[in-house]
Amino acid sequence: MLENTQISILGCGWLGFPLAKHFIAEKSTVKGSTTSADKVADLKNAGIQPYVFTLGANNNADVYRNFVAESDVLIINFPPKRVEHIETLYPAQIQEIASHIRFRQKVIFISSTSVYQNTNDWVTEDLVNQPEKASGKAILAAENILREKLQNRLTILRFAGLFGYDRAPGRFLANKKELSSANAPINMIHQDDCIRLISAVIRKNVWGEIINGCADVHPIRKRFYILAAKKLGLQPPEFKEETTVSFKKISNLKSKMLLQSTYKYPNPLVFVL
């Protein structure tokens, strides 16, 4: 049950804000953080207790403590910034908030399938991670910091590419040229399914786990993004002709079995056809 649960959401943006409203509808008490004072009114109007801070910006130790204090669950939900020193900055930000997590508090870390390398096959949570990009390396380092500190009080949700509502996939690659991986299967998950999985972790008390979140169907990259752009009336992307392809297909089987959950949007193609 989520009723009377106290939840702190670090990062009330595209996913965190509707997630917070979902929990409030379930009679939970929610604290939400933002880096912008302009968003405070929106958070208050939604019934969210607002906290404004930027990790690493200055000495906000008291703010961090108050944000985390008395919460049953902390949801860490902010991606690493695309900066040159991402591999050191992001883990340091996670360490900063982790130092204020109290004994017995549970944590959900919103991670990414970018921690997985391309295998040209299905990828499960058991794969030994060898991230290929700096962002993936930064996220994996953050995961390891939290796993060492929290152990069985932590569940990591590794989400595939996020889409839904105002994040229309047709805008991602529109008008781009000479794109690679035309025939690679893609991995995506709708905002609503992210919220369903996060909620299920808490309702079913599933801790100490790493769980992938990804739609059932993996459309081919070229077809999907051309259709997506056309549906919005945008110039479709153009892809290079390639004889080889490098990819990974994210398995969601564990999420279905462990959380006893189905996906509201199992096929991303329905949004572009």
Side-chain angles (χ1 to χ4, degrees), residues 104-260:
R104 292 186 179 177
Q105 288 181 318
K106 305 291 199 313
V107 174
I108 295 175
F109 179 57
I110 305 304
S111 183
S112 165
T113 55
S114 65
V115 300
Y116 296 121
Q117 64 273 28
N118 286 336
T119 63
N120 286 16
D121 204 346
W122 288 98
V123 169
T124 70
E125 294 84 351
D126 296 329
L127 182 70
V128 176
N129 303 105
Q130 295 178 328
E132 297 171 355
K133 296 182 179 180
S135 59
K137 294 175 182 178
I139 293 170
L140 184 61
E143 284 189 8
N144 290 335
I145 288 169
L146 294 170
R147 292 176 70 182
E148 183 176 355
K149 177 180 177 65
L150 299 167
Q151 299 180 13
N152 288 334
R153 290 189 287 137
L154 169 73
T155 283
I156 295 169
L157 289 173
R158 291 173 174 164
F159 287 151
L162 305 174
F163 78 103
Y165 302 108
D166 60 336
R167 186 173 289 192
R171 301 185 187 279
F172 295 172
L173 301 180
N175 207 33
K176 295 188 182 296
K177 302 182 186 302
E178 291 293 298
L179 294 173
S180 60
S181 303
N183 296 311
I186 59 173
N187 305 286
M188 304 192 76
I189 184 170
H190 193 278
Q191 183 190 88
D192 288 354
D193 284 315
C194 293
I195 292 172
R196 286 159 70 99
L197 293 179
I198 295 167
S199 180
V201 169
I202 300 172
R203 283 188 290 102
K204 297 184 180 298
N205 211 29
V206 176
W207 304 105
E209 298 288 348
I210 297 174
I211 304 170
N212 293 335
C214 185
D216 295 347
V217 178
H218 303 261
I220 295 302
R221 176 174 160 90
K222 179 178 179 178
R223 181 184 182 222
F224 181 83
Y225 284 109
I226 288 175
L227 288 171
K230 286 181 176 179
K231 183 160 188 177
L232 293 178
L234 301 175
Q235 181 66 33
E238 296 179 9
F239 290 83
K240 295 184 290 187
E241 293 297 328
E242 296 172 315
T243 56
T244 60
V245 61
S246 182
F247 67 90
K248 55 180 175 270
K249 290 176 71 173
I250 304 301
S251 169
N252 66 10
L253 183 60
K254 184 175 180 179
S255 69
K256 292 179 176 180
M257 295 180 64
L258 194 60
L259 299 176
Q260 298 176 327

Side-chain angles (χ1 to χ4, degrees), residues 10-80:
L10 179 58
C12 272
W14 180 82
L15 175 59
F17 186 61
L19 176 66
K21 291 196 291 184
H22 166 82
F23 287 133
I24 288 169
E26 296 286 335
K27 310 300 183 184
S28 295
T29 300
V30 180
K31 299 177 183 179
S33 82
T34 176
T35 59
S36 173
D38 293 340
K39 295 181 180 178
V40 167
D42 288 340
L43 297 183
K44 285 184 176 179
N45 289 339
I48 304 163
Q49 299 175 26
Y51 286 75
V52 182
F53 59 83
T54 300
L55 289 170
N58 46 45
N59 186 11
N60 281 326
D62 289 340
V63 178
Y64 302 155
R65 271 194 292 270
N66 291 336
F67 174 69
V68 174
E70 299 180 358
S71 285
D72 302 299
V73 179
L74 168 64
I75 300 172
I76 301 176
N77 170 52
F78 73 101

